[in-house]
Amino acid sequence: MILTVLAFLGGVLTIFSPCILPVLPFVLARADQPFLRSGLPLLLGMALAFTGVASLAAVGGGWAIEVNHYGRLLAMGLLAFFALTLLLPGFAERLARPVVALGARLSLHADSGVTGGSFVLSMAVGVATGFLWAPCAGPVLGLVLTAAAIRGPSVGTSWLLLTYAAGAATSMALALLLGRRVHAFAQRSLAVSQWARRTVGVMVLAGVAMIAAGLDTGLFSQLSLASTTGAEQKLIDTLKPKGGMPGKDTLALSASAQDASVTIAPARRVENPVASGVKSEGQLPPLDGATGWLNSAPLIAEALRGKVVLVDFWTYSCINCLRTLPYIRAWAEKYRAAGLVVVGVHSPEFAFEKDQDNVRRAVKDLGITYPVAIDSRHAIWRAFGNQYWPALYFVDAQGRIRHHVFGEGQYTESERMIQKLLAENGTPSVPVGLAQVDAHGVQAAPGEKALSGEAYLGSSRAEAFASAGGLRAGRPHLYPPAEKLKLNQWGLEGHWTVEADRAVTAAPGARLAYRFYARDLHLVLGRDAGGKPVRFRVRIDGKPPSGNHGTDVDADGNGVVDAHRLYQLVRQENNSGGDHLFEIEFLDPGAYAYAFTFG
């Protein structure tokens, strides 16, 4: 009920967002028609279309993006035609002659408006509007869309999306009723009425043009987030029960519904582990939701009975997961003969981690030889009800989950639990002692002093951005050099295109800066598929890193982006000297920057 109320109120607030401007003309063009036969079906069609598109975006794949792309093109053409009927009634009549039945309804007469009084046709216009409607993804819509992606398609998530759309339709209905009063005043004069009709036609064409130019997802979205996010967050904080809003504290929101391309971050990465006791926490869920398997034929839960199983949820660009891997590999090797089966479940955060070839390459490079389930649709993730990277689940020979650890750490307790479950299973000679782990590079344990945390560079989750003029999403922009950065602030310089989940270099010489306090600095990077490696140069406090360079750069700070992965750019001999300014310059275009992580 709380989420339903939040979704509705979040939708109502949409009317105050600048990014709703391109859609308002489509609604106001119906102001001269009876509300029940014209305005209401238009808003209903709009709400239903948005619900369908947003549902597909949250739980679908690339096919959903393509479907919506062509739907948007068709909708823009349809609404542009309606605008011409407002401006040129004679044109509408001539165009409608070949299709008399439909044309008679589409033609604009003095008493018929855009599509006549037909309930069905008004709803069709609303459906077209729903394809073009770009509600800004603030905290409320982000919460709904993220929950939809994690939990999969369900009546509950579709209901929340429909409720959000209903809230927006309610505020638009008020605007429509106000527009009717203005139209009634204009009808007192034929000249004024014709002028008003043509004005609405121009507004509709302008709305189509703004959407075609991407202003609804670029400039207006940025303005909107600055004006409504605070109000939405206050709603969440006010209505949140004492126990916390389900999912809010564990779901990293990253949603952008305007183009049916939703980047989902199913959970936040945690560094403070939480472990359970040794009582049963339920049965091992099914593993049949994987989109593929590496190092093994597909495994099923029933076939693992009689074995002690360790399930590790991870993703290959997650620094916390990478630092846990040396222990997972060591346990898999040490206890394999005693009956331990390790199953890695690769549940992606970024879109590139869904590519099976990328996962296969990462598994090989990381030296993982145990079975890995590719969970690109998060089906196994949902079956476990998991919300963390990394997450370890310890399963006994009867298929019962007996222990879990979320995040890094507790390696001694974890290995003791493996030994305990093997002994319970009657293993005659369980290896004793603790596995010896010698981790290097990005897999090495973090430093003792790290005052910098994870920082995302995509517009949907960007924080502490300090470049003048603010972050501009959705289109290329020339950023001026950032002024002096404070600790944990970052900025761009040069030509960049900031998308929902990443920042893309649009020209050579683009720079990225971050003021950090940690021993290690990592950056998740990628490049154009099939393109040449992208050269880059790193500086620390304006100088080459020398002995403080990471494994992916040399002492002079030079390196290349050759694949989508996590790059270690700084590894200081110690980090006791306070904070430092990190700078990276990309010498070639086509580099993708996703997120900073530290250690």
Side-chain angles (χ1 to χ4, degrees):
M1 178 58 69
I2 290 177
L3 284 175
T4 299
V5 173
L6 267 178
F8 181 81
L9 294 178
V12 170
L13 286 174
T14 303
I15 195 68
F16 300 107
S17 303
C19 66
I20 207 66
L21 290 177
V23 174
L24 279 179
F26 309 151
V27 177
L28 295 177
R30 310 296 293 164
D32 62 334
Q33 298 296 304
F35 180 77
L36 293 180
R37 289 192 295 116
S38 179
L40 180 61
L42 181 143
L43 294 174
L44 179 60
M46 180 178 169
L48 292 175
F50 165 74
T51 301
V53 168
S55 297
L56 285 178
V59 302
W63 63 272
I65 299 173
E66 290 299 317
V67 167
N68 190 60
H69 172 71
Y70 291 112
R72 284 171 64 86
L73 292 178
L74 181 62
M76 282 190 286
L78 179 63
L79 290 170
F81 168 74
F82 290 153
L84 291 177
T85 67
L86 285 165
L87 291 169
L88 306 169
F91 163 78
E93 289 184 10
R94 288 193 299 273
L95 195 63
R97 286 169 188 167
V99 282
V100 179
L102 180 61
R105 294 179 177 181
L106 290 177
S107 298
L108 179 69
H109 298 289
D111 61 347
S112 65
V114 180
T115 61
S118 168
F119 186 99
V120 174
L121 286 180
S122 293
M123 180 173 285
V125 176
V127 169
T129 305
F131 272 96
L132 301 180
W133 180 30
C136 301
V140 172
L141 183 58
L143 180 65
V144 174
L145 285 170
T146 304
I150 297 306
R151 299 168 186 168
S154 70
V155 175
T157 52
S158 294
W159 167 255
L160 289 176
L161 288 168
L162 182 60
T163 302
Y164 182 91
T170 299
S171 56
M172 289 184 188
L174 296 176
L176 183 57
L177 292 175
L178 179 62
R180 288 189 63 193
R181 291 190 175 185
V182 175
H183 182 268
F185 171 79
Q187 276 188 322
R188 297 174 186 175
S189 168
L190 178 60
V192 174
S193 178
Q194 292 176 342
W195 174 84
R197 184 180 64 190
R198 292 191 175 97
T199 299
V200 172
V202 171
M203 290 172 60
V204 172
L205 276 179
V208 172
M210 285 189 289
I211 291 173
L215 291 180
D216 59 330
T217 62
L219 174 63
F220 290 129
S221 292
Q222 288 302 301
L223 292 174
S224 171
L225 287 174
S227 61
T228 63
T229 298
E232 291 187 34
Q233 192 60 54
K234 286 182 179 179
L235 279 175
I236 292 175
D237 294 339
T238 300
L239 295 178
K240 180 176 64 176
K242 292 182 179 180
M245 183 65 64
K248 178 179 182 293
D249 296 329
T250 55
L251 297 178
L253 307 184
S254 174
S256 179
Q258 57 265 19
D259 61 351
S261 175
V262 176
T263 304
I264 299 300
R268 63 187 174 95
R269 299 168 179 169
V270 294
E271 299 182 6
N272 298 322
V274 180
S276 74
V278 295
K279 296 181 179 179
S280 174
E281 301 175 7
Q283 292 295 119
L284 174 66
L287 302 174
D288 54 7
T291 57
W293 285 83
L294 301 177
N295 300 334
S296 171
L299 300 177
I300 60 175
E302 291 76 8
L304 294 173
R305 291 293 178 89
K307 298 284 188 179
V308 173
V309 181
L310 171 60
V311 179
D312 171 33
F313 282 91
W314 70 296
T315 188
Y316 79 82
S317 74
C318 164
I319 185 60
N320 311 104
C321 303
L322 293 175
R323 291 197 287 244
T324 303
L325 273 179
Y327 295 90
I328 306 293
R329 289 197 305 264
W331 298 335
E333 179 65 26
K334 180 178 178 180
Y335 298 103
R336 181 183 297 112
L340 175 68
V341 176
V342 175
V343 178
V345 180
H346 187 274
S347 297
E349 175 177 15
F350 298 110
F352 66 80
E353 293 173 314
K354 297 180 181 180
D355 187 307
Q356 189 160 323
D357 289 336
N358 286 344
V359 181
R360 181 181 292 107
R361 186 182 305 110
V363 166
K364 180 180 179 181
D365 292 344
L366 293 169
I368 297 173
T369 58
Y370 50 80
V372 174
I374 300 177
D375 189 31
S376 293
R377 298 193 186 102
H378 296 99
I380 302 176
W381 177 287
R382 291 193 298 268
F384 274 77
N386 186 53
Q387 295 186 355
Y388 301 93
W389 290 295
L392 307 183
Y393 293 87
F394 300 79
V395 184
D396 66 18
Q398 285 71 49
R400 300 173 299 183
I401 298 176
R402 297 282 297 279
H403 190 66
H404 67 253
V405 172
F406 296 150
E408 296 180 59
Q410 296 208 4
Y411 301 120
T412 298
E413 294 85 344
S414 295
E415 188 166 1
R416 295 298 188 201
M417 176 56 64
I418 292 172
Q419 295 171 348
K420 173 182 176 62
L421 296 181
L422 288 172
E424 286 183 2
N425 196 33
T427 302
S429 56
V430 178
V432 296
L434 299 176
Q436 297 300 309
V437 173
D438 185 17
H440 301 279
V442 296
Q443 299 179 48
E448 294 182 359
K449 296 181 179 180
L451 302 182
S452 296
E454 194 166 38
Y456 292 89
L457 306 182
S459 59
S460 60
R461 282 188 285 175
E463 296 181 354
F465 182 74
S467 292
L471 201 62
R472 306 296 180 88
R475 59 183 57 238
H477 181 71
L478 176 60
Y479 290 89
E483 298 180 0
K484 186 176 181 180
L485 299 176
K486 298 179 181 179
L487 180 62
N488 295 328
Q489 286 187 334
W490 63 282
L492 300 174
E493 179 182 346
H495 291 274
W496 289 84
T497 300
V498 180
E499 301 174 357
D501 68 335
R502 64 188 181 185
V504 181
T505 59
R511 294 171 177 262
L512 169 62
Y514 193 106
R515 183 163 291 279
F516 74 103
Y517 192 120
R519 186 194 66 190
D520 305 335
L521 180 146
H522 313 94
L523 187 56
V524 180
L525 297 169
R527 62 177 173 87
D528 291 330
K532 295 181 180 179
V534 177
R535 297 169 299 155
F536 64 80
R537 183 167 51 233
V538 165
R539 293 290 182 266
I540 303 176
D541 297 326
K543 301 177 182 179
S546 187
N548 293 323
H549 68 89
T551 56
D552 290 298
V553 298
D554 61 22
D556 293 326
N558 299 312
V560 294
V561 181
D562 54 7
H564 276 84
R565 62 182 177 87
L566 182 142
Y567 290 75
Q568 186 183 80
L569 304 179
V570 176
R571 163 59 65 83
Q572 298 186 83
E573 296 176 351
N574 64 73
N575 61 312
S576 59
D579 57 84
H580 299 278
L581 178 64
F582 166 84
E583 296 173 286
I584 181 170
E585 178 183 6
F586 296 95
L587 306 180
D588 304 302
Y592 304 152
Y594 293 84
F596 282 101
T597 60
F598 302 90

